[in-house]
Amino acid sequence: MSSDDEESVTEPIRVLFVDDEERLVEFAARFLEDLREAFVVVTETSAEAALDRLDREGAPDCIVSDYRMPGIDGLEFLETVREEHSKVPFVLSTGKGSEEVASEAISAGVTDYLRKDTGTDQYAVLANRIENAVAQRRAERALAERERRLAAQRDELATLDRINAVIQGIIRNLVAAATREEIEHTICERLAASELYEFAWIAERGTGGDLAIRTGAGIDDTDDVHVATDGGAVAEPAERALETGGVQVLEATDGSIAEEHEAATDHEHRSAAAIPLSYENVVYGVLAVYSTRRDAFSEREQSGFAVLGEIAGFAINAAQNMQLLLSDTAVALELHVPDGSAFATNLTERLDCQYSLDGVVPGADGTLLQYVVVDGVAPDRVLDVADESDLVAEARLVTEREAGGVFELAITDSPVSTLVEVGGTVQEFTAEDGEARVVAEIATDADVRTVVDAFEAAYPGAELLSKRTVELPLRTEGTFRQSLDERLTQKQRSALRAAYFAGYYDWPRDSTAEQVASSMGITSPTLHNHLRKAQRELAAAFLENDPDA
């Protein structure tokens, strides 16, 4: 016997026993309960009273009724029950056997037919009939429920396939989007154009703290878009999505969202979801999607939208970085970092030294290699503090100076990495006396509030000191060559050209250093000295003012 069958037998079996003979029905109820511990038997002495009980309490697991009763007899009672409860097991008993009564009972949907007897053995037979009928009904219900779940799962999988196709199509389209506006417009338009969703909008945090609409699709009346964000039903989930960085879902319990929330749109949307558009620790905005399907946003569907939100956030970040590279202007933000909340502030507070960022290179495992100059303290003390810090994965001394040095620090979390994650280019980062100042440039179309909010969330107490538009240096091939030419001496330039044209930089080399040096009439060490200095100037010219540096 399966676990479902065992459960169906051992759980309580509620029986309604109906017979116009009061003493008999009470005796039968006690006897049946004694025979089966699972039986819970209630009695009525008329079909009318039994129907009233059914109206009040609903159907039991089984009904046992006498055939001959005054007023409504057993057959009429059976027919009435079947109008509301077509599947509940019904056992009809009668004092005299009649093929005509049995035939009518079968036509009316009786489960079993039992002839009354004078002894108590009949109750053992009746108990078996009740138990078998209930077990069969429960098995049928369990099978129907399993089939329903399987059908629902098949429907959900088919829907998920369609949803994934929509999301994958959006992601493919995002590759061609060059600006944040194009990215957001593409997402809303593709979602609203699908058969799965009716309406979509994207909003961000406005200057006053409320949701500010950026774009929408799926509704002709643009006023409805603003109503949706201004106290509408989805405004609260959208706020939570911005705050928590997780997908939020709103389901109508009955009817449509509009019927349950006066501020919602008039459209028959039954489900809605709010998805944060985020990259790293920055939430750029929130996407709200509406559907006429009830329970439209299952856990799997939410997972798909979470991925879309992350990819959209990445695309927005990349678009803003590209905008910064191609633009001739940027927005420079000057930020103050309070005491001890970063490694640099903690170091300068403990050792009474000065800290200055020289350059940044992406490292392994999500770290940033920061090359910093620390003045006013012995290098070994800096390395000791770095070794104690949870924020520093590795630290080494690059160059020792009279009172300090240049260090390479693999830092897992810092004001620099926070600004890089939001698409900023850090131009300055200095720290002294436990406080730091950082200057970063962001694209002109980047949302300053989003950047500052992300920074303040990472470093509570931080504040924006200033914001200004700055001109970016024009870097062309001609200006680069001119800058490099000004850096090189005549000997360095000659050594670099001779080595290049002689194939010294090819692999395998066409000429050795000794051959190049001999051709120039100098010694090999002298050539190496000229080449090393020239290569240093070449790297400096290339990396200066480089956003990635």
Side-chain angles (χ1 to χ4, degrees):
M1 184 180 292
S2 69
S3 59
D4 287 343
D5 293 336
E6 290 174 1
E7 182 181 354
S8 67
V9 172
T10 56
E11 68 177 286
I13 295 176
R14 299 175 298 115
V15 180
L16 173 59
F17 200 114
V18 185
D19 196 303
D20 61 319
E21 296 183 34
E22 186 172 352
R23 291 178 60 187
L24 184 147
V25 78
E26 290 177 357
F27 173 79
R30 287 196 300 272
F31 205 92
L32 286 171
E33 289 181 340
D34 289 341
L35 285 171
R36 296 290 189 276
E37 185 179 348
F39 283 3
V40 178
V41 185
V42 295
T43 62
E44 294 292 350
T45 56
S46 70
E48 291 87 352
L51 290 171
D52 288 340
R53 179 183 286 271
L54 291 175
D55 289 339
R56 293 193 311 272
E57 301 177 1
D61 295 310
C62 184
I63 299 173
V64 179
S65 176
D66 185 24
Y67 167 61
R68 295 188 181 278
M69 293 185 295
I72 301 175
D73 64 20
L75 275 177
E76 292 175 296
F77 178 43
L78 169 62
E79 292 171 350
T80 305
V81 167
R82 284 291 177 253
E83 291 176 3
E84 296 292 332
H85 309 287
S86 61
K87 301 295 184 180
V88 63
F90 194 110
V91 179
L92 184 67
S93 66
T94 181
K96 293 182 179 181
S98 167
E99 291 184 4
E100 182 180 351
V101 172
S103 176
E104 292 182 15
I106 292 171
S107 298
V110 74
T111 306
D112 210 338
Y113 184 82
L114 185 66
R115 185 173 180 181
K116 282 185 178 180
D117 205 344
T118 55
T120 57
D121 290 346
Q122 63 177 322
Y123 296 115
V125 175
L126 178 59
N128 285 333
R129 301 278 182 91
I130 292 171
E131 200 169 51
N132 291 336
V134 171
Q136 181 177 346
R137 173 60 187 143
R138 288 178 175 174
E140 290 172 353
R141 273 207 308 255
L143 178 60
E145 176 60 21
R146 281 195 292 270
E147 291 177 347
R148 186 197 65 78
R149 286 199 301 266
L150 287 173
Q153 289 172 357
R154 286 193 295 269
D155 290 343
E156 183 181 0
L157 288 173
T159 302
L160 283 172
D161 286 342
R162 295 165 63 197
I163 292 166
N164 288 334
V166 171
I167 292 176
Q168 289 170 10
I170 293 173
I171 292 171
R172 284 194 296 270
N173 288 145
L174 292 185
V175 175
T179 65
R180 178 176 180 177
E181 288 72 18
E182 287 182 35
I183 292 167
E184 294 173 338
H185 180 74
T186 297
I187 292 171
C188 290
E189 285 290 337
R190 287 298 301 269
L191 287 172
S194 73
E195 298 178 354
L196 297 163
Y197 308 104
E198 299 287 321
F199 175 31
W201 50 261
I202 290 176
E204 64 184 356
R205 186 81 68 188
T207 54
D210 297 331
L211 291 176
I213 195 72
R214 288 184 58 85
T215 188
I219 288 185
D220 295 333
D221 187 357
T222 55
D223 289 340
D224 280 342
V225 180
H226 294 280
V227 167
T229 57
D230 185 16
V234 187
E236 185 178 345
E239 294 274 5
R240 289 200 304 271
L242 285 172
E243 292 169 2
T244 65
V247 176
Q248 305 293 320
V249 173
L250 177 66
E251 302 283 358
T253 55
D254 187 22
S256 68
I257 294 174
E259 292 170 354
E260 297 186 12
H261 302 269
E262 292 182 1
T265 65
D266 293 330
H267 296 261
E268 293 296 320
H269 302 119
R270 298 179 182 274
S271 303
I275 302 99
L277 307 180
S278 60
Y279 175 67
E280 298 292 349
N281 297 321
V282 183
V283 180
Y284 289 98
V286 60
L287 164 67
V289 185
Y290 296 71
S291 174
T292 56
R293 294 176 290 132
R294 191 181 299 280
D295 301 325
F297 299 96
S298 64
E299 289 187 8
R300 292 180 179 179
E301 192 163 346
Q302 291 178 48
S303 297
F305 271 104
V307 171
L308 175 61
E310 292 171 1
I311 292 175
F314 173 80
I316 291 172
N317 178 272
Q320 291 182 344
N321 286 341
M322 183 59 67
Q323 189 72 19
L324 183 59
L325 288 172
L326 299 178
S327 177
D328 56 0
T329 60
V331 176
L333 305 178
E334 182 180 5
L335 297 148
H336 170 259
V337 185
D339 47 23
S341 53
F343 172 72
T345 54
N346 181 49
L347 178 74
T348 58
E349 185 175 31
R350 288 182 57 180
L351 303 184
D352 190 23
C353 58
Q354 298 82 45
Y355 181 107
S356 176
L357 180 70
D358 222 10
V360 177
V361 177
D365 301 324
T367 63
L368 277 182
L369 290 179
Q370 298 186 25
Y371 295 88
V372 302
V373 177
V374 181
D375 291 317
V377 65
D380 58 341
R381 296 186 64 192
V382 176
L383 294 175
D384 288 341
V385 174
D387 187 55
E388 296 171 5
S389 175
D390 294 333
L391 300 175
V392 181
E394 291 184 30
R396 73 179 181 93
L397 176 64
V398 176
T399 304
E400 186 172 359
R401 296 182 177 178
E402 184 176 347
V406 178
F407 297 84
E408 179 188 80
L409 304 176
I411 299 182
T412 57
D413 190 15
S414 74
V416 175
S417 59
T418 299
L419 288 166
V420 170
E421 287 170 1
V422 299
T425 299
V426 177
Q427 299 296 336
E428 297 179 46
F429 180 54
T430 57
E432 189 172 3
D433 297 328
E435 297 186 351
R437 170 183 167 273
V438 57
V439 177
E441 293 175 355
I442 61 174
T444 53
D445 64 342
D447 181 48
V448 174
R449 187 72 262 163
T450 298
V451 174
V452 174
D453 284 348
F455 194 81
E456 291 177 347
Y459 296 94
E463 61 177 327
L464 177 65
L465 299 178
S466 67
K467 179 186 73 170
R468 65 187 188 278
T469 300
V470 295
E471 296 284 338
L472 296 178
L474 181 63
R475 291 175 60 86
T476 65
E477 182 180 351
T479 59
F480 174 75
R481 290 175 64 88
Q482 180 181 354
S483 172
L484 178 60
D485 194 59
E486 292 171 353
R487 290 173 178 269
L488 299 177
T489 66
Q490 181 61 42
K491 291 181 179 180
Q492 292 167 357
R493 190 180 302 108
S494 297
L496 193 62
R497 288 175 61 86
Y500 176 77
F501 289 115
Y504 176 73
Y505 294 109
D506 294 341
W507 186 260
R509 285 176 173 170
D510 294 334
S511 301
T512 65
E514 289 75 12
Q515 290 172 324
V516 175
S518 176
S519 298
M520 294 184 66
I522 59 177
T523 64
S524 179
T526 301
L527 175 69
H528 281 295
N529 181 50
H530 290 330
L531 288 181
R532 180 61 59 87
K533 290 181 178 180
Q535 290 162 2
R536 174 70 174 80
E537 295 299 334
L538 175 61
F542 180 76
L543 294 176
E544 280 183 358
N545 299 315
D546 174 27
D548 292 331

